[in-house]
Each structure stands twice: as structure tokens, then as C-alpha cells.
Amino acid sequence: MSNRAAPVNRRQAGIALTALTVLSLTAACGDKDYGAAGSDQVQPAGQGTSDNGYGSGAAKDGGYGDDAAGGAAAGGLGAAAKSLALKEAPGLGKVVTDGQGLTLYRFDKDTPKPPKSACDGDCASTWPPVPADDAKATAGINAADLGSVTRSDGSKQLTLGGWPVYRYAKDNAPGDTKGQDVGGVWHALAADGGKAGEAAAKEPPKADEEPAAPPAAAEPKADVSVADNAQLGKIIVDGKGRTLYRFTKDSPWPMKFACVGACLDTWKPAEPADKDKIEGVPAKLITTVKRPDGTKQLAVDCWPMYLFKGDKAPGDVNGQGVKGTWFAVGADGKKITKSAGSPSAY
């Protein structure tokens, strides 16, 4: 054999090895033993690049750059809070606002004791931290609950009840609460640093109102199961019977997320499932993926799963076929392309 053939053979062997590696990784994604031993979590590939959705869905055009609310530079502190106040917000009760009337938020991944922020980089561009300087309490807010935490860059961020305080880049006007429940981990602040929605729910009944009867005990339901839908047939639903959808612009492997920023106002990432609470779906299809902001999301056959804001009750499939990119999923993990009528626009 001539010496010229050796480099060619080595290149061919390298290509074959690469192909086998990619194939094995792809096959492993749906396997319950994927990744570290005992773990079913799939880590996203290529995070930190525009390919994962930050470039197109969360750049300046999305309000996440220097134009973010509060004038925050990328990952830096926002504008001073000035006088904090309490304002009534529909469905949330009283929420804490800054001197301009913009709603202030807390992040579930932060900690209050001791105070620590888990929101840096791209996260801090979307959620500008509020500086500790020049912030004061007004009626209804205890000044003793105000404090500060030193961020990773050395700057001082305001805390309320120990929780680091943020604004949301998509809140453009006083009274906006677009950041409420984003990703299931961001919440408007109550006066004591708690979650505003929970504070409203705990308000005692008025004197002329009868206390609400405690809810009847319900049988525990599977986190993920299969339901018979009159329009689509058998579909995968969450523990509350709500339809789960996948987005064709996402990518299952390598893991990439196209639904970020404003998209999450309409399509909420589904919570991960307990492997012991799955009915009618092969367990190997159910995994957990990690989003660019660090939160975890349910995946079926490696595809991230979402709930549609337009679905108001269990069994609704109003998200089916929206913009030709959102689809319910069958028991085999494949998307269902059957039409459910006239989908609303995203």
C-alpha cells in the first residue's frame, strides 16, 4: 500500500469516529442513564452563543441590552430606586415599586439568609439589579427590612427582607407586572420581601365575608400522563391535565432553546417530572433539561415542553399549530400535526 493512502485512511477513520460519537450522544439523550450516574438531566450545548436564542430572541431588540428598564448596562446595576412604595396590582395585591412606579422583583434561586444573588451576566441584563444606594422605605414598608448584598462584581445591590431586588427589562411603564412568574421563578415583591401573589392569597377575609372552605383532598396525580383529547387523540399532559407542547425552533440535540425573552410570556416552561409519577409514557422519554437562565424544564424525547397561556382549562389545545411551530405530543413522544381548528396567533 502506498504512503499516500495512510493520511486518507486516517481522515476516514476520524470521520467515522466522529459520526459514531454524535450518534451515541444523540441516542443517549432519551436514555434514563444519560449523563452522570443516576442523573436524567440533559445539559444545553453551546450556551453563551447567539445560537441558543439570546442573540435573536433576547438582544437589544428584545429590550435586554442598554435599553433595559432602569438603564442597566449589560449585567450591571440599574438606576437608583429612590423612594420605595406599595402599589395595587391586579391579581397580586400590593407590590413594591421604585420611585418611578416600576415593579420590583425577587428571584427564587437567590437566597435571603445570607443574602446572595444568583443572577449575573445575561440574566442581569434581563433583570437589572437595583442598587442599594439612595433607596428608602415609605408607608407600608419597614425600613429595617432594607439592606444590601455585595454582588460578584463588587457592587452593592438592594435587598428587601434579605432578598436581592431587581427590575424587569420588559416592564416599560409604571404598573407593568410582565415579570410576574416568568420561568416560574420570578415574582413581584411584597412589602416584607415575600412574593406578592402569595401575600394577596393569605389576606384574611373581610368582616362581611365568609371564610373560604378548605379545598377537598384530591387524589395525587401523575406529573406526566396521557389523556384522550377529542380533537387530537392521545396527548401528553402535566399533573393538572394541561396540554404540553414542543417548539419546532428548539433543538433536542445539541440542546438549544429558541423560546426565550418575550416568548416565555406566552409559553411557560413545564416543570420537571418525578420519574415515579409517570403514567402511559415510556420513562426513558422523560428527562430534565437546564435552560440558559439555570432553571430546569421537563423534556419529552429530548424536546423541552411548554404550557400555553391561551389554554384556560385541562383539555384545551389552543396552542396546537400556532404559527406552524407549536405542537402537542403523543404518547410516543412524537409531535402531533393534526389540526385542532383555527390556532390563535402567537
Side-chain angles (χ1 to χ4, degrees):
M1 180 182 294
S2 68
N3 291 334
R4 289 183 179 181
V8 175
N9 290 338
R10 284 197 294 270
R11 285 198 299 271
Q12 290 176 338
I15 293 172
L17 178 60
T18 300
L20 286 173
T21 301
V22 172
L23 179 61
S24 65
L25 286 173
T26 304
C29 181
D31 190 279
K32 62 182 178 182
D33 295 325
Y34 174 77
S39 172
D40 65 348
Q41 185 177 111
V42 179
Q43 296 291 340
Q47 299 306 324
T49 69
S50 60
D51 288 341
N52 64 22
Y54 277 104
S56 59
K60 281 190 178 182
D61 290 343
Y64 296 165
D66 292 340
D67 297 328
L77 293 176
K82 304 291 185 180
S83 296
L84 304 183
L86 292 177
K87 302 291 184 182
E88 194 72 27
L92 295 176
K94 293 186 181 297
V95 302
V96 180
T97 64
D98 66 9
Q100 297 180 357
L102 292 174
T103 303
L104 300 179
Y105 299 88
R106 50 173 273 180
F107 183 31
D108 283 353
K109 290 189 173 292
D110 289 348
T111 58
K113 297 180 181 180
K116 185 177 180 181
S117 171
C119 182
D120 285 305
D122 290 316
C123 174
S125 296
T126 305
W127 302 90
V130 176
D133 294 338
D134 200 13
K136 62 181 181 179
T138 57
I141 301 174
N142 189 345
D145 287 336
L146 299 184
S148 67
V149 60
T150 302
R151 295 180 55 77
S152 59
D153 62 1
S155 59
K156 297 287 187 179
Q157 180 178 0
L158 176 67
T159 62
L160 179 59
W163 288 95
V165 179
Y166 307 83
R167 297 182 180 90
Y168 182 44
K170 289 293 185 178
D171 283 351
N172 299 316
D176 283 354
T177 55
K178 297 175 183 177
Q180 174 62 19
D181 204 32
V182 167
V185 293
W186 290 92
H187 308 278
L189 277 164
D192 60 354
K195 301 176 185 179
E198 290 184 357
K202 293 178 181 178
E203 289 182 0
K206 297 178 181 178
D208 58 347
E209 292 181 352
E210 289 292 331
E219 290 293 326
K221 295 182 178 179
D223 288 349
V224 177
S225 61
V226 175
D228 288 312
N229 184 271
Q231 296 168 281
L232 302 180
K234 293 187 179 296
I235 60 173
I236 294 180
V237 298
D238 72 354
K240 296 181 180 179
R242 297 175 297 183
T243 304
L244 294 170
Y245 300 89
R246 80 184 203 189
F247 187 30
T248 58
K249 291 188 178 182
D250 284 344
S251 173
W253 190 261
M255 184 61 63
K256 296 178 184 178
F257 296 85
C259 185
V260 296
C263 176
L264 298 177
D265 294 335
T266 304
W267 303 90
K268 182 179 178 180
E271 294 183 0
D274 184 335
K275 279 295 186 76
D276 294 328
K277 295 182 179 180
I278 300 171
E279 293 181 1
V281 184
K284 69 178 183 180
L285 294 181
I286 306 301
T287 53
T288 298
V289 294
K290 189 174 181 181
R291 294 188 58 79
D293 62 2
T295 58
K296 295 179 180 179
Q297 181 176 0
L298 170 70
V300 175
D301 197 21
C302 301
W303 286 89
M305 292 286 104
Y306 302 83
L307 298 168
F308 181 47
K309 186 177 181 180
D311 286 348
K312 303 302 181 183
D316 284 354
V317 287
N318 298 317
Q320 177 67 2
V322 168
K323 285 210 166 180
T325 55
W326 292 91
F327 298 95
V329 177
D332 58 357
K334 306 301 182 184
K335 70 178 181 181
I336 298 173
T337 57
K338 183 179 179 181
S339 173
S342 300
S344 56
Y346 159 60

